């Protein structure tokens, strides 16, 4: 029985099927849920652009105070609340967010590495223009996806995936990694079971691992370096970014066809199946022609 046929049967099974259920993929690192994110900050001091916010719960996203401050400042910069060339005074930030100088200093270093701010002698730390940002950074992708630029970010992510994943699928076909091939099949089966149970969390986790494994299987280190874009796209929720944000049998069928083609060494079939999966996104449909059937 092909992966497709097997999976379509799986989608209708009940919880006693023995497949992985909710929480069984928790050993893999995934981004926090939208509920973990802090809302738009509001400053209560004289400078209304840098509103004071309450501390996030300890351990939120596993980052501590340092990570929370990076998250807050990053969101404010990307959203435009802190515009380009805006000075960031460490002492003021520390007082307003009630954190130490060390936390502020390390947080600004992280933001500088992402291209969001620059620190220069006699000038201080200032917000950099969008052209200087590392737009491939997973955090910036997430911040843009939940800010005013959400529509552009989702469209750009989809277009980047169209560039990366069909090629990765073609390269991955016939590589002979039986353990990885089986894991891909497992992920499709888990997605089918999750669909039957209405478990979108387990579905999305299996979906993310499927795409990550496929890129690894391609054997191209440069593509693998770009896999963070795909991972970030799959972890962004709240909009049609993956083609799988609304789990359905069509999405599972496309994944199953990809797995079958990879196992058969059918590079053209794997590429075509991946293109069909990505075509589910309406934004891509306007800029990319539909794939031809071979």
């Amino acid at each position: 029985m092909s992966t497709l046929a097997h999976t379509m049967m799986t989608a209708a099974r009940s919880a006693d099927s023995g497949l992985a259920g909710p929480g069984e993929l928790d050993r893999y690192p995934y981004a926090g849920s939208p509920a973990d994110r802090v809302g738009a900050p509001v400053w209560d001091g004289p400078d209304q652009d840098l509103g004071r916010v309450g501390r996030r719960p300890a351990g939120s996203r596993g980052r501590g105070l340092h990570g929370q401050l990076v998250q807050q400042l990053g969101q404010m910069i990307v959203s435009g609340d802190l515009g380009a060339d805006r000075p960031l005074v460490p002492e003021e930030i520390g007082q307003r967010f009630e954190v130490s100088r060390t936390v502020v200093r390390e947080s600004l270093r992280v933001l500088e590495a992402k291209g969001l701010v620059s620190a220069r002698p006699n000038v201080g730390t200032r917000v950099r223009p969008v052209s200087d940002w590392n737009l491939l950074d997973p955090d910036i992708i997430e911040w843009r996806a939940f800010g005013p630029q959400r529509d552009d970010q989702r469209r750009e992510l989809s277009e980047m995936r169209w560039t990366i994943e069909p090629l990765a699928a073609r390269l991955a076909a016939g590589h002979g990694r039986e353990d990885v091939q089986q894991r891909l099949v497992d992920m499709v089966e888990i997605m089918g079971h999750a669909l039957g149970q209405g478990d979108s969390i387990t579905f999305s986790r299996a979906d993310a691992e499927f795409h990550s494994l496929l890129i690894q299987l391609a054997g191209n280190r440069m593509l693998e370096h770009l896999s963070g874009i795909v991972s970030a796209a799959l972890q962004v929720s709240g909009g049609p970014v993956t083609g799988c944000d609304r789990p359905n049998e069509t999405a599972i069928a496309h994944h199953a066809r990809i797995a079958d083609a990879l196992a058969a060494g059918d590079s053209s079939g794997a590429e075509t199946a991946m293109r069909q999966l990505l075509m589910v996104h309406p934004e891509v449909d306007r800029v990319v022609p539909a794939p031809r059937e071979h």
Side-chain angles (χ1 to χ4, degrees), residues 45-156:
D47 190 342
Q48 296 299 318
D49 286 336
L50 287 173
R52 177 180 176 180
V53 296
R55 294 185 182 186
R56 300 170 70 188
S60 179
R61 294 175 65 89
R63 294 179 176 180
L65 290 177
H66 160 258
Q68 293 170 31
L69 185 56
V70 169
Q71 184 85 353
Q72 292 286 357
L73 293 177
Q75 288 175 333
M76 295 171 76
I77 292 171
V78 170
S79 68
D81 290 341
L82 298 177
D85 206 36
R86 169 61 184 271
L88 299 178
V89 182
E91 292 78 10
E92 180 182 355
I93 294 173
Q95 292 175 0
R96 307 260 182 160
F97 284 94
E98 299 178 356
V99 295
S100 69
R101 292 181 179 180
T102 300
V103 170
V104 174
R105 182 171 59 250
E106 293 302 316
S107 299
L108 291 177
R109 285 179 179 174
V110 171
L111 295 175
E112 185 173 17
K114 297 177 183 293
L116 294 178
V117 304
S118 61
R120 297 179 181 178
N122 303 321
V123 176
T125 301
R126 292 181 175 272
V127 176
R128 300 171 70 175
V130 177
S131 58
D132 291 341
W133 298 356
N134 178 7
L135 296 179
L136 301 184
D137 182 281
D139 282 336
I140 294 180
I141 288 174
E142 178 182 318
W143 297 334
R144 290 185 71 207
F146 287 92
Q149 304 170 24
R150 62 178 64 88
D151 292 338
D152 286 341
Q153 178 65 99
R154 290 168 180 158
R155 174 183 53 79
E156 290 166 4

Side-chain angles (χ1 to χ4, degrees), residues 200-217:
S200 61
I201 294 177
T202 297
F203 186 101
S204 64
R205 290 178 172 179
D207 182 29
E209 181 164 345
F210 180 97
H211 291 269
S212 177
L213 287 170
L214 184 145
I215 292 176
Q216 293 176 34
L217 195 61

Side-chain angles (χ1 to χ4, degrees), residues 25 30 161 187 190-191 201-212 234 242-245 255 277:
L25 293 177
Y30 295 97
R161 289 189 65 195
M187 291 303 102
I190 290 172
M191 282 190 278
I201 294 177
T202 297
F203 186 101
S204 64
R205 290 178 172 179
D207 182 29
E209 181 164 345
F210 180 97
H211 291 269
S212 177
L234 291 167
T242 69
C244 306
D245 57 305
H255 283 85
L277 173 62

